[in-house]
Amino acid sequence: MPVLWLADVDKNDVPLVGGKAANLGELLRAEIPVPDGFVVDARTFREFIEKTKIGEKIYSLLQDLDVEDTEKLDKISKEIRTVIENAKIPGEIEEDIREAYRKLCEDEGEEVYVAVRSSATAEDLPDASFAGQQETYLNVRGEDEVVDKVKKCWGSLFTPRAIYYRAQKGFRHEDVSIAVVVQKMVNSEKSGVMFTSHPVTGEKKCIIEAIFGLGEAIVSGLVTPDTYIYDRIARKLVEVKIGQKDFMLTKQDGKTVKVKLDPEKANERVLSDEEIERLVTLGELIEEHYGKPQDVEWAIEKGKVYIVQSRPITTIRTKEEAEEAEREAERGMEEGKILIKGLGASPGIATGRVKVIFSEKEIFKVQEGDILVTTMTTPDMVPAMKRAAAIVTDEGGMTCHAAIVSRELGVPAVVGTKEATKVLKDGMIVTVDGEKGIVYEGRVERKKEPKPVVASAPIITATEVKVNISIPDVAERVARETNADGVGLFRIEHMVLGLEKHPMKFIRDGEIDRYVDLLYEEMKKVAKAFYPKPVWIRTLDAPTDEFRSMEGGEDEPIEANPMLGFRGIRRDLMEEEHFRAEMRAIKKLVDEGYTNVGIMLPLVTSPSEVRRAREIAISEGLPLDKIEFGIMVETPAAAMIIEDLVKEGIDFISLGTNDLTQYTLAVDRNNENVAYLYDETHPAVMKLIERTIRICKENGVKTSICGQAGSYPHVVEKLVEIGIDSVSANPDAVQKIREVVARVERKIILDKLRKL
């Protein structure tokens, strides 16, 4: 059955119905007022692709596509969407959609207008919440129109912005599906967006933006909304800003029309105090339900409040970022001529050359480091927004597209300036303060005399807190900002996949020395940045499908499940020339004095693999008495025979919980259909981890963890209690994990003292 009712789905159904539909169903179950509707699930889109046999055509067009080539991206997008829209929906699928719409109409007692909204399986997720990736169609009525718009939503999975987004976020196009929500249309008299807590600082301040009419005008930034700030601690409205709302969108005769507002209405306050209180109450219920601050879309029709969407806020600063911003704010700016003011929508300060554009067709004008100035950004402008040093718009508020995406990208933004596109001219050098909402003429620096800051004592822990690194170019910054105790995982596959051709093609072309030099140069950036702290370099571990798009990757085997295939140490030992190249690059580092590096072998399942790898390393002249040699424990096999593996002379092990979890639970972590079963804290996984640590400690082998679970405080707490030697976390989690480790260590000491 391709159709599910919203009331029957919840947050666990993201792989089946996408983030948007799952959130709506979850809210309905929590008795939040959500308009009724149904969802055409993600399996149906895959069935449509399969039965119409258009998949091969679609994914071949995406092969080797350079998403930074805007013209080519647009061309491929149009071609794919045409293929989808010209394909006929199988009869049984179409009939089920028609029947569900008829049932919705029967329940409402009339042929209803609906909103047909895409719900992709890679949007509105906790760590990926870009706005506006796929299409929404409003005021749709009649079975034929509903079926047509469902197909158009399917096609919107391949808009230029959606293709670009997936490429930037690292989602494979084949792994992302799309569901479609068909929901009763709210013809709102008032609508808007609410952040249940401050979207940057995380303070308990509810920010509500409101306009008259339908909400599309606020999200797209067509209208500058009212802004209301409600202090949830003091329980009072602390700030009201009335926006000039020159027009509103509304439904008339089944169409969305723009209605001009008279000057008095345009400057009238949208929400009453009582309506604000009701919205805040609902917002707090939603935040409490999800356990984290939410970005909520709402609408009011005939006095009733409806919630039409909720997603997690992903842009709240860490404690360290907030403290740094506070110090920067205290410093202030040098005197400068203010050109224009607006709303500070995304914090930060940037100086650059102005580029004024009025549509996505002009985004090619915006180069790296420019200041993008426009009336309002659209989802298709994201490639340019990513290149820009800062963004300035005429229209919009804290919840418009420009504000949301700028915060996600970490780019300073000033919105709602009214006339930036008139005042700022192409080529002008300006400084944008995204905190205060000011654009200055020329280059304006921070004041030279910062206020003295009393530094808190660094947290010292017995358990080392290391960091995971993938991109060598950020190593120096990460080392400085995290003060980590070393690198517990340096993934080299990311830098290898960024080379001009397949590693084995370098070797086949007689360029092995050049390849060794390329590896050495990138590895050195990390070893040097952290010297003398340890840097554990994991040898190449990328699945075959990731190599296939590289020059020379045409002969990569096509595997049903690459995660279980030709990767890790098994590949290195089969392609010994490549493994030797890796060893030679590491030897160059050691010869230069970087004895802080260690070799870490991935996907080990037997002692013979460790033995052979060790022999090769020694034959290449690596002094294993001077550097550390270890393995990843990321297979149940390695965990179960750890006694035998430590006998091969390893110095350390690192628990790779991402793979250990998927292999223990038989859950492909790239498979949306079973993603809900993926649990790194499953008792079976934790038992394997505990066993591994215990046996390694008995044999004097260092233990660490570098999987995603190493960034989870509740897991780290357990590992420290077990006696793990180090924890390696993602850069943004290092400080938080260090605090957790220190707290647990103090608790262990206190418990022992109490027993004396």
Side-chain angles (χ1 to χ4, degrees):
M1 180 77 177
V3 170
L4 298 169
W5 290 90
L6 286 177
D8 296 328
V9 302
D10 61 24
K11 62 185 178 184
N12 296 314
D13 294 314
V14 170
L16 185 60
V17 299
K20 188 173 292 177
N23 282 341
L24 290 170
E26 184 73 15
L27 292 172
L28 266 174
R29 290 186 169 211
E31 299 184 351
I32 301 294
V34 172
D36 197 13
F38 60 89
V39 54
V40 183
D41 69 34
R43 294 172 303 189
T44 306
F45 172 71
R46 292 194 180 281
E47 186 180 347
F48 165 71
I49 292 289
E50 186 180 327
K51 289 191 173 179
T52 55
K53 299 185 177 358
I54 59 176
E56 187 176 342
K57 171 73 171 173
I58 291 171
Y59 299 118
S60 66
L61 286 169
L62 292 167
Q63 194 81 17
D64 302 325
L65 173 62
D66 178 6
V67 295
E68 301 296 345
D69 184 338
T70 306
E71 192 174 326
K72 185 70 179 294
L73 179 61
D74 287 343
K75 180 176 178 295
I76 294 298
S77 169
K78 286 175 185 172
E79 194 169 339
I80 292 173
R81 295 176 77 179
T82 300
V83 167
I84 291 172
E85 290 176 21
N86 287 343
K88 180 167 175 53
I89 299 179
E92 64 275 18
I93 294 176
E94 182 174 329
E95 182 50 38
D96 282 341
I97 296 170
R98 290 177 181 273
E99 186 180 330
Y101 176 70
R102 288 195 293 267
K103 175 73 167 58
L104 186 62
C105 293
E106 286 169 16
D107 291 346
E108 296 295 329
E110 61 177 340
E111 188 174 58
V112 295
Y113 285 98
V114 292
V116 182
R117 314 166 72 190
S118 61
S119 181
T121 58
E123 65 174 0
D124 295 348
L125 303 181
D127 60 349
S129 184
F130 268 57
Q133 290 308 315
Q134 281 81 39
E135 302 292 1
T136 288
Y137 297 94
L138 304 178
N139 297 316
V140 178
R141 187 167 71 167
E143 295 176 29
D144 292 344
E145 280 298 302
V146 169
V147 170
D148 178 65
K149 295 304 184 290
V150 166
K151 194 194 286 188
K152 279 186 163 55
C153 278
W154 285 343
S156 75
L157 188 62
F158 299 97
T159 59
R161 57 183 179 266
I163 295 170
Y164 184 90
Y165 167 76
R166 289 194 293 274
Q168 293 300 311
K169 283 286 184 179
F171 291 109
R172 291 194 332 142
H173 298 293
E174 297 90 333
D175 291 339
V176 180
S177 188
I178 187 168
V180 180
V181 178
V182 180
Q183 192 177 22
K184 182 179 176 294
M185 183 81 188
V186 177
N187 190 24
S188 49
E189 292 107 31
K190 302 174 181 181
S191 58
V193 182
M194 164 174 57
F195 291 125
T196 61
S197 294
H198 196 286
V200 176
T201 66
E203 294 174 277
K204 295 294 182 185
K205 288 184 177 177
C206 191
I207 298 178
I208 303 172
E209 295 195 331
I211 58 172
F212 294 113
L214 300 176
E216 307 314 303
I218 190 171
V219 176
S220 60
L222 295 172
V223 172
T224 300
D226 286 2
T227 301
Y228 308 93
I229 301 179
Y230 185 94
D231 188 325
R232 290 170 51 192
I233 305 298
R235 308 307 297 176
K236 65 179 181 180
L237 190 62
V238 293
E239 189 174 337
V240 176
K241 287 183 181 176
I242 308 298
Q244 185 170 341
K245 305 160 289 288
D246 295 326
F247 65 87
M248 71 174 187
L249 300 178
T250 189
K251 184 178 73 180
Q252 288 182 3
D253 301 323
K255 294 181 180 177
T256 302
V257 296
K258 185 189 288 189
V259 177
K260 186 171 175 58
L261 299 176
D262 62 60
E264 185 178 345
K265 182 76 172 176
N267 292 287
E268 183 182 304
R269 180 171 157 174
V270 175
L271 294 175
S272 66
D273 286 359
E274 190 266 338
E275 287 171 327
I276 290 169
E277 292 278 357
R278 283 159 61 197
L279 282 168
V280 170
T281 299
L282 281 172
E284 289 177 323
L285 286 172
I286 296 169
E287 179 175 312
E288 183 180 353
H289 179 79
Y290 282 109
K292 59 182 65 175
Q294 297 286 302
D295 169 359
V296 179
E297 295 176 26
W298 56 269
I300 298 177
E301 181 182 25
K302 297 176 183 176
K304 182 174 180 180
V305 177
Y306 292 94
I307 301 301
V308 295
Q309 184 55 279
S310 183
R311 57 174 70 85
I313 299 173
T314 59
T315 54
I316 294 174
R317 289 174 178 154
T318 63
K319 179 184 174 184
E320 294 71 34
E321 290 169 335
E323 289 171 352
E324 176 62 23
E326 192 175 331
R327 288 193 291 270
E328 289 290 301
E330 285 177 353
R331 286 175 60 186
M333 301 287 288
E334 298 286 359
E335 291 297 320
K337 180 182 177 183
I338 296 174
L339 296 176
I340 203 161
K341 289 185 178 182
L343 180 65
S346 180
I349 292 172
T351 300
R353 194 175 299 278
V354 168
K355 289 292 175 65
V356 181
I357 65 173
F358 292 97
S359 79
E360 56 273 10
K361 293 178 182 177
E362 299 179 282
I363 65 173
F364 67 90
K365 294 181 182 176
V366 181
Q367 300 302 311
E368 200 74 34
D370 286 342
I371 307 297
L372 191 164
V373 179
T374 187
T375 308
M376 172 47 55
T377 63
T378 68
D380 289 320
M381 290 183 184
V382 169
M385 295 173 75
K386 189 169 180 287
R387 294 193 294 269
I391 294 159
V392 184
T393 69
D394 290 344
E395 302 295 344
M398 283 286 283
T399 56
C400 69
H401 179 270
I404 292 171
V405 176
S406 296
R407 287 193 293 271
E408 182 102 16
L409 293 171
V411 175
V414 177
V415 301
T417 63
K418 304 289 187 195
E419 50 185 6
T421 55
K422 295 176 183 174
V423 173
L424 306 179
K425 306 297 182 185
D426 271 355
M428 290 174 65
I429 301 297
V430 299
T431 298
V432 177
D433 186 336
E435 185 89 46
K436 295 181 179 176
I438 298 173
V439 180
Y440 297 92
E441 183 178 49
R443 182 178 296 278
V444 180
E445 305 289 350
R446 287 285 188 190
K447 288 180 180 175
K448 297 291 188 291
E449 296 294 329
K451 291 186 179 181
V453 177
V454 179
S456 57
I459 300 172
I460 306 298
T461 60
T463 308
E464 292 183 327
V465 181
K466 299 178 180 179
V467 67
N468 299 334
I469 292 278
S470 297
I471 304 170
D473 287 339
V474 305
E476 191 174 328
R477 177 178 61 79
V478 170
R480 182 177 66 252
E481 293 179 359
T482 66
N483 196 31
D485 296 319
V487 177
L489 170 64
F490 174 18
R491 307 178 184 93
I492 70 166
E493 56 269 14
H494 293 272
M495 68 187 198
V496 170
L497 290 167
L499 297 176
E500 64 201 60
K501 56 186 176 182
H502 192 290
M504 290 303 292
K505 183 164 175 55
F506 278 101
I507 293 168
R508 288 193 294 268
D509 291 348
E511 297 182 283
I512 190 167
D513 289 341
R514 180 163 172 257
Y515 179 64
V516 168
D517 286 342
L518 290 171
L519 290 181
Y520 154 76
E521 287 164 7
E522 294 301 296
M523 289 176 177
K524 183 178 176 179
K525 292 176 183 177
V526 184
K528 183 179 180 181
F530 283 87
Y531 187 83
K533 296 173 181 177
V535 174
W536 290 347
I537 303 172
R538 185 175 72 184
T539 58
L540 192 61
D541 184 27
T544 52
D545 55 332
E546 294 185 9
F547 283 115
R548 199 171 297 120
S549 62
M550 300 181 77
E551 181 189 344
E554 307 83 15
D555 297 330
E556 284 289 315
I558 297 174
E559 300 177 306
N561 190 337
M563 299 298 286
L564 293 170
F566 189 50
R567 55 175 283 217
I569 190 61
R570 58 187 63 162
R571 180 173 193 137
D572 265 335
L573 294 182
M574 287 288 288
E575 295 179 342
E576 190 176 304
E577 308 100 309
H578 180 264
F579 186 62
R580 288 184 178 277
E582 294 175 284
M583 296 301 101
R584 288 173 200 168
I586 294 172
K587 185 176 185 298
K588 287 188 74 168
L589 290 172
V590 176
D591 290 346
E592 206 170 311
Y594 292 106
T595 51
N596 60 321
V597 295
I599 300 167
M600 186 157 65
L601 309 176
L603 215 67
V604 167
T605 59
S606 76
S608 62
E609 292 169 331
V610 182
R611 195 177 311 127
R612 180 58 185 149
R614 185 182 180 86
E615 289 169 357
I616 294 172
I618 292 171
S619 72
E620 288 295 335
L622 273 164
L624 296 189
D625 56 332
K626 292 182 180 178
I627 65 172
E628 293 182 308
F629 182 78
I631 65 169
M632 296 279 291
V633 174
E634 52 195 332
T635 65
M640 294 305 294
I641 62 165
I642 191 65
E643 304 97 323
D644 301 318
L645 294 172
V646 298
K647 292 174 184 174
E648 296 300 326
I650 59 174
D651 301 302
F652 68 87
I653 67 98
S654 183
L655 293 151
T657 53
N658 297 0
D659 277 341
L660 185 60
T661 301
Q662 73 169 343
Y663 297 146
T664 303
L665 303 182
V667 174
D668 177 357
R669 58 191 168 106
N670 285 343
N671 186 333
E672 65 194 38
N673 296 310
V674 291
Y676 68 98
L677 294 169
Y678 187 84
D679 177 12
E680 291 152 305
T681 61
H682 188 285
V685 179
M686 292 306 296
K687 282 185 178 181
L688 289 173
I689 290 173
E690 289 182 39
R691 182 180 190 278
T692 301
I693 293 174
R694 176 174 54 79
I695 292 171
C696 284
K697 284 177 72 67
E698 291 170 0
N699 288 273
V701 173
K702 293 180 185 177
T703 56
S704 186
I705 182 173
C706 61
Q708 186 64 34
S711 297
Y712 299 157
H714 66 289
V715 176
V716 171
E717 190 168 335
K718 178 72 172 172
L719 294 174
V720 174
E721 289 173 352
I722 296 168
I724 200 164
D725 294 306
S726 67
V727 174
S728 192
N730 297 329
D732 61 343
V734 168
Q735 181 61 24
K736 179 174 65 177
I737 295 305
R738 195 184 295 281
E739 291 168 1
V740 172
V741 169
R743 186 173 66 248
V744 177
E745 289 181 344
R746 285 196 299 269
K747 180 177 179 294
I748 291 170
I749 294 169
L750 186 59
D751 287 344
K752 287 188 176 181
L753 288 172
R754 283 170 175 163
K755 291 175 182 177
L756 293 177

